[in-house]
Amino acid sequence: MPLLPGAEPYRRAGGPVGVLLVHGFTGSPQSMRPWAEHLAEAGLTVSVPLLPGHGTRWQDLQPTRWEDWYATASAAFEELAADCEQVFVCALSMGGSLALKLAAEHGDRISGLVLVNPSVRSDNPATVLLPVLRHLLPSLPGVAGDIALPGAAEVGYDRLPLHAAWSLSKLWEGVQRGMPAVTQPVLLMHSPQDHVVSPRNSALVLARISSTDVTELLLERSFHVATLDHDAGLIFGASLDFVRRLAPAAAVDAGNHSG
């Protein structure tokens, strides 16, 4: 299947500090591209992989499982780690679960996490029906495109494939168990008005992780896909400041970039 316009993976070489950016469930690298470009302009090495089953049509996501998405994120991390002295992980929505799993498993090989509206639990009571429902219905209406900014659009699916959604619920269970192993510095930004992922997700992350260097920012003017919304600039700037604080080489490497 041809890729949807804008859904292609993105990678740009820069200095010794790398950033892996992970998109959300049914989304694509398009939701992370402006963020990645901002960090790249500041001299960082960035990678935005396309997760399996994403960026084409929802039917392609149906047979994939969380292990597939995680394997791709993990491989992209290893590529960055081979090229860079330090690696950070930035993530949106389900990407937040994958980022937390990477952090729990790789320890100090990851220098910090930036999470935007992380999805780590179900907010829908019907999730308990997924084991059965997924065999009766192929899909439900999608969740892409929750953006307050007029004219902004997310490249994602208009349907939610239920076999893949069931697998996502299994990912959440493992990520919740593994959160205490997360000790890296964390910048967590979330939208009070999010129609896809409730604030309870961010509260759960903050309650469970063992990190002591934790910063929480509210994205007051944005909905779920805040990386394409009114607060995009806040996200880009705060994440760059976070990386530069923890990776002196990132500040040095900025050179003439204004950031």
Side-chain angles (χ1 to χ4, degrees), residues 96-97 100 115 117-123 169 171-182 186 188 190 197-211 214 216:
S97 269
L100 287 161
L115 307 174
N117 292 325
S119 160
V120 295
R121 48 159 284 167
S122 171
D123 294 312
S169 71
L171 170 64
W172 287 333
E173 291 172 11
V175 167
Q176 288 180 27
R177 286 194 299 272
M179 276 188 215
V182 176
V186 171
L188 192 154
H190 62 99
V197 171
S198 82
R200 291 191 294 272
N201 286 263
S202 291
L204 181 61
V205 172
L206 294 172
R208 291 268 181 98
I209 59 176
S210 300
S211 309
V214 179
E216 180 184 11

Side-chain angles (χ1 to χ4, degrees), residues 7 29 47 56 68 102 114-115 136 157 167-168 189 204 206 249-250 253:
S47 174
T56 51
D68 304 317
L102 283 169
V114 181
L115 307 174
L136 305 175
Y157 297 152
S167 188
L168 174 58
M189 298 179 270
L204 181 61
L206 294 172
D253 250 46

Side-chain angles (χ1 to χ4, degrees), residues 100 153 159 170-171 187 207 249 255:
L100 287 161
R159 302 295 297 178
K170 297 287 133 191
L171 170 64
L187 168 59

